[in-house]
Amino acid sequence: MMRVCVVGLGAMGGGMARSLLKSPDIEQVTGFDLSRQLVDTFYNDAKAVNKAPSCLPGKLELANYVDGTTDVVVIVLVNERQCESVCFGDGENLTTLLRDGACVVVCSTVSAAWAKSAEERLVSRNVQFVDSPISGGAVRANRGEISIFASGNDKSLQMVDPLFQAMGKEVHIIQGGVGMGSTVKMVHQLLAGVHIVVAAEALALAAKAGLDVEQ
């Protein structure tokens, strides 16, 4: 049984955290965010299924939500800069708060170079790391049906597999170590961008040709 903290309770992170509440392999899920409303709402949801901490900390500080009993931290933040701050920022951060053998799973879209650097710094503090970008949107996140592109060492991947099974419908283990998951996500994003551009060009051509673009 694991104790998990999800950092970032926005559209994706909030749904993923709620998916974890349904897993029989997870004893407790804590949600951390800079929004008091999001934190309070998730705490009540976790409490309703007996998977919340005994009490909700008053201050929105990472050290009040992650401690030596936390097994896994799942990061679902907006960008690489925010991930850097949570993992290695000034004051209390994940390198100072987590116990030996704990694991950090970064689901944010970050560069492969940052993911590799993060792994090196965390492993030096005896903390495991999984590079695990995601795709699917808020609706699928709430259903536990996101796509996951995970890369890391065998030990860390095995440790967090129950989380992946709870959060994802398509779990892709990308070989080659940390950074390869983020590389797959980069390719995925490029394809999405190309398709948007092509669709826009096609609609522009249709409009100029006098076609009903809505049809």
Side-chain angles (χ1 to χ4, degrees):
M1 298 288 282
M2 290 188 290
R3 295 190 172 199
V4 181
C5 178
V6 178
V7 177
L9 296 174
M12 292 293 288
M16 292 162 63
R18 287 171 175 82
S19 296
L20 294 175
L21 294 176
K22 304 170 187 176
S23 172
D25 297 308
I26 297 174
E27 175 185 359
Q28 177 179 293
V29 185
T30 305
F32 176 71
D33 197 280
L34 296 182
S35 165
R36 180 86 259 174
Q37 180 179 359
L38 292 177
V39 170
D40 290 350
T41 300
F42 179 74
Y43 177 81
N44 290 331
D45 290 346
K47 187 176 181 180
V49 294
N50 297 316
K51 291 195 175 184
S54 58
C55 62
L56 183 62
K59 291 186 177 181
L60 292 176
E61 296 178 355
L62 186 64
N64 290 331
Y65 294 81
V66 176
D67 59 28
T69 68
T70 305
D71 298 302
V72 181
V73 175
V74 179
I75 299 177
V76 198
L77 295 171
V78 173
N79 54 41
E80 189 174 294
R81 178 181 59 81
Q82 292 180 349
C83 295
E84 174 74 18
S85 178
V86 168
C87 292
F88 311 107
D90 295 336
E92 299 283 14
N93 58 57
L94 294 185
T95 64
T96 64
L97 296 170
L98 287 172
R99 64 169 177 80
D100 287 358
C103 186
V104 175
V105 181
V106 172
C107 295
S108 307
T109 299
V110 299
S111 66
W114 184 86
K116 292 176 182 178
S117 171
E119 181 192 32
E120 291 177 0
R121 287 177 284 171
L122 285 167
V123 168
S124 71
R125 300 294 186 94
N126 295 317
V127 175
Q128 297 292 315
F129 180 83
V130 175
D131 169 34
S132 180
I134 55 176
S135 181
V139 173
R140 286 175 60 188
N142 274 293
R143 294 175 178 169
E145 297 179 351
I146 59 173
S147 297
I148 297 172
F149 313 102
S151 59
N153 62 48
D154 291 341
K155 180 180 179 180
S156 62
L157 289 170
Q158 183 177 8
M159 178 179 181
V160 301
D161 183 66
L163 281 70
F164 289 160
Q165 299 307 318
M167 297 187 297
K169 183 177 181 179
E170 298 179 2
V171 180
H172 304 280
I173 304 301
I174 312 301
Q175 301 300 317
V178 164
M180 299 309 289
S182 287
T183 300
V184 168
K185 182 61 186 292
M186 178 187 69
V187 174
H188 179 277
Q189 295 291 80
L190 288 173
L191 285 172
V194 167
H195 292 154
I196 291 170
V197 171
V198 170
E201 290 289 346
L203 287 173
L205 175 61
K208 289 180 180 179
L211 297 174
D212 181 345
V213 294
E214 290 188 10
Q215 183 183 23

